[in-house]
Amino acid sequence: MNETPGKKHSNIVLIIDDETANIIALTDILSPEYDVFAAKNGPDAIALAEKHSPDVILLDVLMPEMDGYEVISTLKNMEKTRDIPVIFITGLDNIDAEKKGLSLGAADYIPKPFSPDIVKLRVQIQIKLVNHIRTIKERDEMERQLNIIRDLEAGLIAAKEQAEHNREIAEHSNRAKSEFLSRMSHEMRTPMNAIMGLLQLVKMHGVPDASKEYIDEIDENSAKLLELIDNVLDISGMEYGVFKLAHEPFRVISMFREELEIAKFNTSQRNQSFTSTLDPSIPPVLIGDFKHLKQVMGNLLANAVKFTPELGNISLNALLLQSDSKKATLQISVEDDGIGISEEHQKSLFTIFEQADGSSTRKHGGIGIGLALSKRIVEKMGGDIRVESEPGKGSKFTFTCVLDIP
């Protein structure tokens, strides 16, 4: 990872290229006007982008291990970096390569060998756009932001009150409950997505320091409520027999990378230790339901974080249990040294609409739907899920799933 010190400027440019000569040349061109940072590989570049929030990124397409397309996909999927304009640097004279980069969110292209004037001009265009947006944000009136915040708070409170009222009505029968929750899940998604979208707009336009805590709280709770709505919708679909798993190819390392990054962030917030081990023999591409497999891992990791105290330890291990030319069976386990679960409460752990321990749930939050949903999902994937736990000594959740090999 390279960082280029120098005179402090108002705008930052990040260069990502595995060739030292290219980095030196681009730095010489841009450093008189901008603060320049550089990285030679994808992981270092992503770390620098998160740390420095550059105004423009110059990204080489052809790099070993993690190419430019994978880097831009990762950056565009991260909230902190998704809006940074990316200019591809490439020697590929290929319209398909250019189309692919633009479809992934690239703002522009600079061909190799590059001209200093072209580099300066194209970076300058993107910097002007960034600065213009920044100026618009600064001109926004504080009163308008506060009014939006109040409206969002009122909408979130109203949505929660309506959800609670609807839950009480739905308790008259299990069938009526499933039918009602399914309908309400669809109806609630629209306003919740609108609330979360408006929140992002508010953040983009800048939030007064006095209101930042409120916005973050609303954002966090909105995400939790939307996750709950999605879970309830899946459960309702299963009750009706209309729930279907996707059957699409996906990159295994990308799936794990996304969940591991979330887990690392969540554990760091609680001063917990997190480790992971991925079996290198797992095929790089598998066919199955990428979204719901991630959902099961996310549920198990979230529970581990929730029920493990500060300074506790959490680990994820993925193993290729068996495979042939057509199918692969994965075994994934999440282990923690948290509060643990008694043998009595383990019996109802995967039962829908029941909780292992009401007192623990009141303390840590949640309604007990995640594990029940996870059990149903892995069973539909041809696997199973089990728990080994002892109060005061932590828990280990292990599930298997069968996926197709391309």
Side-chain angles (χ1 to χ4, degrees):
M1 183 183 299
N2 300 313
E3 298 192 12
T4 305
K7 181 180 177 181
K8 184 67 177 176
H9 298 283
S10 59
N11 293 109
I12 298 173
V13 176
L14 172 60
I15 300 169
I16 308 169
D17 198 310
D18 61 321
E19 294 291 338
T20 301
N22 289 340
I23 290 177
I24 293 173
L26 290 170
T27 300
D28 287 343
I29 294 169
L30 298 172
S31 59
E33 296 183 53
Y34 312 108
D35 285 334
V36 178
F37 295 90
K40 288 187 173 183
N41 58 65
D44 286 351
I46 292 166
L48 277 177
E50 284 193 286
K51 179 180 178 182
H52 296 290
S53 297
D55 298 292
V56 173
I57 294 175
L58 300 184
L59 175 58
D60 187 22
V61 173
L62 298 179
M63 295 189 296
E65 297 182 14
M66 191 177 187
D67 65 21
Y69 299 129
E70 291 178 289
V71 173
I72 193 173
S73 295
T74 301
L75 292 172
K76 294 302 179 182
N77 283 322
M78 295 167 59
E79 182 178 346
K80 191 173 181 180
T81 59
R82 66 178 53 163
D83 295 321
I84 300 174
V86 176
I87 301 176
F88 267 129
I89 304 173
T90 179
L92 297 174
D93 186 13
N94 186 321
I95 189 66
D96 291 332
E98 185 172 342
K99 285 168 62 179
K100 181 177 180 179
L102 294 173
S103 70
L104 291 172
D108 203 348
Y109 263 82
I110 295 176
K112 290 181 182 179
F114 42 77
S115 159
D117 290 337
I118 292 297
V119 172
K120 287 181 181 180
L121 181 61
R122 297 200 173 181
V123 170
Q124 187 181 65
I125 290 171
Q126 297 303 323
I127 291 290
K128 283 183 177 180
L129 289 173
V130 169
N131 290 340
H132 180 66
I133 293 172
R134 191 170 292 152
T135 300
I136 293 174
K137 293 177 183 177
E138 292 171 353
R139 291 175 181 172
D140 283 351
E141 298 178 5
M142 184 181 298
E143 187 59 36
R144 178 174 172 272
Q145 296 172 347
L146 292 174
N147 286 337
I148 293 174
I149 293 170
R150 294 189 192 102
D151 290 341
L152 291 170
E153 287 176 332
L156 184 58
I157 292 171
K160 287 183 176 180
E161 291 175 347
Q162 185 65 36
E164 177 62 23
H165 175 65
N166 293 336
R167 184 191 64 79
E168 293 173 358
I169 295 175
E171 285 178 350
H172 292 294
S173 73
N174 287 338
R175 184 66 177 176
K177 179 191 297 182
S178 297
E179 190 174 352
F180 182 76
L181 288 176
S182 179
R183 185 171 63 253
M184 282 306 301
S185 295
H186 284 293
E187 294 297 326
M188 291 173 67
R189 268 184 173 181
T190 301
M192 281 307 304
N193 282 324
I195 289 172
M196 296 178 73
L198 288 171
L199 276 169
Q200 298 309 312
L201 287 175
V202 171
K203 287 184 174 182
M204 286 174 60
H205 287 284
V207 180
D209 290 340
S211 304
K212 188 176 185 304
E213 182 178 352
Y214 300 125
I215 280 288
D216 290 341
E217 185 70 16
I218 296 170
D219 199 7
E220 180 180 352
N221 283 283
S222 296
K224 288 180 180 178
L225 186 55
L226 186 59
E227 180 183 0
L228 174 60
I229 292 170
D230 287 338
N231 285 345
V232 169
L233 183 59
D234 282 344
I235 287 291
S236 299
M238 291 176 182
E239 292 292 314
Y240 279 113
V242 297
F243 178 86
K244 293 183 179 180
L245 292 174
H247 191 254
E248 300 171 342
F250 63 89
R251 291 178 60 84
V252 175
I253 191 64
S254 298
M255 178 193 69
F256 280 111
R257 183 187 295 129
E258 292 177 17
E259 285 306 313
L260 294 181
E261 287 299 322
I262 294 171
K264 288 176 183 176
F265 175 80
N266 290 336
T267 51
S268 67
Q269 295 294 101
R270 292 171 58 89
N271 294 321
Q272 296 166 335
S273 170
F274 177 74
T275 58
S276 62
T277 304
L278 305 181
D279 186 346
S281 62
I282 297 175
V285 177
L286 291 171
I287 299 175
D289 195 317
F290 170 87
K291 173 187 172 184
H292 285 98
L293 186 54
K294 278 182 55 185
Q295 184 178 358
V296 174
M297 284 196 297
N299 281 337
L300 297 183
L301 287 167
N303 282 343
V305 172
K306 185 188 302 181
F307 295 105
T308 300
E310 288 192 3
L311 305 181
N313 300 296
I314 298 169
S315 65
L316 179 144
N317 296 287
L319 174 70
L320 179 62
L321 207 57
Q322 63 182 48
S323 67
D324 54 29
S325 61
K326 295 182 178 180
K327 295 186 180 294
T329 302
L330 303 188
Q331 176 179 285
I332 300 171
S333 61
V334 175
E335 188 170 3
D336 65 70
D337 56 5
I339 62 174
I341 307 165
S342 69
E343 185 174 350
E344 177 187 355
H345 288 135
Q346 290 179 35
K347 297 176 182 177
S348 61
L349 200 59
F350 300 102
T351 304
I352 194 68
F353 300 127
E354 288 191 23
Q355 299 161 329
D357 185 349
S359 61
S360 292
T361 301
R362 283 191 293 273
K363 178 181 178 182
H364 298 280
I367 65 166
I369 197 174
L371 289 175
L373 179 58
S374 296
K375 176 179 173 63
R376 294 190 176 196
I377 289 173
V378 299
E379 287 177 348
K380 285 183 175 292
M381 291 183 176
D384 61 15
I385 187 168
R386 63 183 184 275
V387 60
E388 303 167 53
S389 185
E390 200 172 337
K393 295 186 178 180
S395 305
K396 180 179 181 180
F397 287 84
T398 303
F399 74 93
T400 58
C401 59
V402 181
L403 301 168
D404 289 337
I405 296 176

